[in-house]
Amino acid sequence: MLVREAATEGGSQPETQPSPRERRVAKKTSRKRSPKPPSRKRTYVCSVRLNNDEKALLAAAATAARTTLPGFLARSGLAAARDLDTTAAAIAGRRELVAELFAARRHLGHVGNNLNQVTRAINAGAHPPELDAVITATEQAIQRVQHATDQLLDQD
């Protein structure tokens, strides 16, 4: 028969598993930085809707910045809010660029219409006097689109 001494008499202690609460408390004590003071804690939650491409782009940027997606959104939004002049200029520049691209698209539509008319006349055996003007307008439209595209690429 096996006789065990009681723990109070110097015998072995029964092994017990820590409770889930004790495990959570133990994990919290391993925090490497001190908590934020109450005045700096973020208590408000804002919901943002993103499509898949936007979320992927922002998540990659957050990973590159070594922060979480919500933290990245908060920091970048606050940076933009602190520098409203630059933000407004960037938005205005984008609007101007979009307006230029729409104007270039309309211009290309007109040139395409003229080019079709010239082609129809050439196929009918005529040499329209507008041929040189249409070629010049086509070259100008190409340059305009190229310029707007270069501006767009320079902004990013």
Side-chain angles (χ1 to χ4, degrees), residues 5-148:
E5 294 178 343
T8 57
E9 296 175 3
S12 63
Q13 298 283 334
E15 293 184 28
T16 60
Q17 295 291 328
S19 70
R21 184 178 187 285
E22 290 170 337
R23 281 190 295 243
R24 280 194 306 266
V25 170
K27 285 183 184 177
K28 286 184 181 179
T29 59
S30 66
R31 184 177 173 133
K32 293 181 180 136
R33 59 188 169 102
S34 59
K36 288 182 182 178
S39 63
R40 300 238 3 193
K41 278 194 169 192
R42 293 183 173 145
T43 56
Y44 296 101
V45 176
C46 296
S47 178
V48 177
R49 292 183 186 267
L50 304 168
N51 63 31
N52 290 338
D53 294 336
E54 292 167 339
K55 183 175 186 238
L57 183 63
L58 289 170
T63 301
R66 300 177 74 188
T67 185
T68 63
L69 180 57
F72 179 79
L73 289 172
R75 286 188 181 100
S76 58
L78 288 169
R82 288 184 185 112
D83 193 4
L84 290 176
D85 293 335
T86 302
T87 304
I91 291 169
R94 290 256 169 155
R95 285 183 182 151
E96 290 172 8
L97 185 58
V98 168
E100 176 62 24
L101 285 172
F102 279 126
R105 184 173 178 234
R106 280 191 308 275
H107 190 199
L108 282 173
H110 297 305
V111 169
N113 185 31
N114 291 342
L115 193 56
N116 284 338
Q117 292 173 1
V118 168
T119 303
R120 189 177 316 123
I122 290 173
N123 287 338
H127 183 75
E130 301 90 14
L131 181 59
D132 292 334
V134 169
I135 291 173
T136 302
T138 303
E139 290 171 347
Q140 289 174 348
I142 290 169
Q143 289 173 358
R144 190 173 181 181
V145 169
Q146 185 63 49
H147 178 68

